[in-house]
Every structure is written in structure tokens, then in C-alpha cells.
């Protein structure tokens, strides 16, 4: 049964990210979000929220970077990305928003600080490496209950990343490292990423 937002019923997304073959093929294989074994995901000691709230890792990238829920609750919680390179920042208000980000711009990590031309080159290179990217994305979207034609634009999702990084959500999602110092922001909002990609 589909929820009102077009996605599967609330609470079902994380299970699908780790169990549905088409979804895994895209998210783990293309978007670098592996949620196939959530119980094995655990943040390193010392990495925590500045607020003292809960930081729950639910997926990881191939590099070991972490996708984490913030606070208490379910899939509606804010999601923060914690990089082993010492960066962290909010990706969306709820898993559904992160899912759309990964479907539309799986290269989002490379957007920071790039011009429109550079970002287009990144996207083109991604498509060269994954020639069937659009087909895989569409299959994954449909498995999640989404109409691929109804997904937001690249510009919209990347602008959203910048907006989250400089809004109140940035403070809620502030992550501290081993020495108690805030990690660097993923997106500082001062660049032009997200505003110049195709609509």
C-alpha cells in the first residue's frame, strides 16, 4: 500500500533498502548507500551529536562513511551523513527525502564547491560509468512506490542540501568528533552548487 507521499507505507523504506533486489542494485550499487545489514553498522566511539541526542547509523557508504538518523523515532527523523574525512551534515528531513536525493543525484557528494560546468561533468562521468543508470533508477523508484517522472530536479535536491546546511537543521544535526570538536560541514552554503544544475 502506498503512503500519501507516493512512497511505500511509513516505516517500510528502510526494510526495502535492504531487501528488495532492484532497490539494493541501485542504492548500494549506484548511490553508495548500503542498508543491507543495519545491525552491523556502528559509529566509531567518540562520534556523537553536540546536542547529546541519539545518533543511529542505519547504512554506510563503501568508504565507511555513515548515514544516521538523528534523535528518537522512525524514518521521519532527520538524516545526517558522517564522513570519515571529518565532515558531517544533514541530508534530509526523513529517509524519504534522502531516497529522492539519491535517486535524482547519486553524485551529490561531489557537488560541494563545484561550478555548474564542473558538476555537469561529474554527472556525465557517473553516467559513463553506469550506462544503465536511468533504467536502474526507474526500477528502484517503482519498487519504492515512486513515479520516476515525479521526482524532483537535480537543482532542487542539491539546493535543498545547501539550505539544510545553513538552516536550523544544521544545529540539530551538528556532529562532534573524537576530540569534542564539531566536524566540518558537508555543504557550507557559500558555494553555488545546486543553483546551476539543469532544472
Amino acid at each position: 500500500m502506498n503512503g500519501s507521499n507516493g512512497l511505500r507505507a511509513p516505516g517500510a523504506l528502510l526494510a526495502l533498502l535492504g531487501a528488495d533486489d532492484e532497490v539494493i542494485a541501485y542504492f548500494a550499487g549506484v548511490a553508495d548507500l548500503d542498508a543491507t545489514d543495519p545491525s552491523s553498522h556502528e559509529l566509531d566511539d567518540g562520534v556523537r551529536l553536540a546536542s547529546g541526542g541519539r545518533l543511529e547509523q542505519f547504512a554506510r557508504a563503501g568508504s565507511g562513511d555513515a548515514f544516521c538518523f538523528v534523535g528518537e523515532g522512525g524514518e521521519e527523523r532527520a538524516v545526517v551523513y558522517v564522513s570519515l574525512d571529518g565532515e558531517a551534515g544533514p541530508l534530509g528531513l526523513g529517509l524519504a527525502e534522502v531516497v529522492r536525493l539519491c535517486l535524482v543525484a547519486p553524485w551529490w557528494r561531489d557537488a560541494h564547491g563545484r561550478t555548474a560546468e564542473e558538476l555537469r561533468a561529474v554527472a556525465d562521468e557517473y553516467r559513463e560509468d553506469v550506462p544503465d543508470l536511468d533504467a536502474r533508477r526507474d526500477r528502484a523508484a517503482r519498487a519504492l512506490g515512486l513515479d520516476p517522472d515525479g521526482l524532483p530536479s537535480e537543482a532542487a535536491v542539491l539546493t535543498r542540501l545547501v539550505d539544510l546546511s545553513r538552516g536550523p537543521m544544521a544545529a540539530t544535526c551538528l556532529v562532534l568528533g573524537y576530540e569534542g570538536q564539531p566536524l566540518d560541514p558537508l555543504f557550507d552554503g557559500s558555494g553555488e552548487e545546486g543553483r546551476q544544475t539543469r532544472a
Side-chain angles (χ1 to χ4, degrees):
M1 183 173 74
N2 292 353
S4 60
N5 61 2
L7 289 161
R8 298 289 181 185
L13 265 183
L14 187 55
L16 285 170
L17 288 175
D20 184 280
D21 290 343
E22 296 287 8
V23 175
I24 292 170
Y26 181 85
F27 280 86
V30 176
D32 201 18
L33 187 161
D34 184 352
T36 55
D37 189 11
S39 63
S40 71
H41 303 159
E42 187 174 338
L43 286 170
D44 292 336
D45 291 338
V47 176
R48 62 196 186 281
L49 284 174
S51 67
R54 185 180 184 195
L55 190 60
E56 177 190 351
Q57 183 174 353
F58 65 87
R60 64 172 160 235
S63 62
D65 295 353
F67 294 83
C68 305
F69 286 123
V70 172
E72 303 293 335
E75 294 177 358
E76 78 287 349
R77 288 177 286 173
V79 174
V80 66
Y81 187 83
V82 182
S83 166
L84 294 180
D85 292 331
E87 297 177 331
L91 296 186
L93 297 179
L95 185 55
E97 187 169 3
V98 177
V99 160
R100 288 185 174 93
L101 167 67
C102 290
L103 286 169
V104 172
W107 50 84
W108 64 264
R109 294 169 191 80
D110 296 319
H112 180 56
R114 295 184 186 271
T115 65
E117 183 177 341
E118 291 169 339
L119 192 53
R120 187 76 265 143
V122 169
D124 290 344
E125 184 177 336
Y126 223 91
R127 292 181 182 280
E128 287 177 12
D129 291 341
V130 188
D132 62 343
L133 187 149
D134 289 345
R136 292 171 72 172
R137 177 203 63 211
D138 291 355
R139 289 195 298 268
R142 292 188 183 100
L144 292 168
L146 284 168
D147 177 0
D149 293 333
L151 292 170
S153 68
E154 291 173 18
V157 296
L158 294 174
T159 296
R160 174 68 168 161
L161 281 181
V162 175
D163 291 345
L164 286 172
S165 73
R166 59 187 175 193
M169 187 52 56
T172 302
C173 295
L174 183 63
V175 177
L176 304 181
Y178 308 106
E179 298 179 0
Q181 296 298 314
L183 299 183
D184 293 333
L186 282 175
F187 294 86
D188 60 16
S190 63
E192 306 227 353
E193 58 271 88
R195 288 192 293 277
Q196 342 96 356
T197 54
R198 66 174 174 78

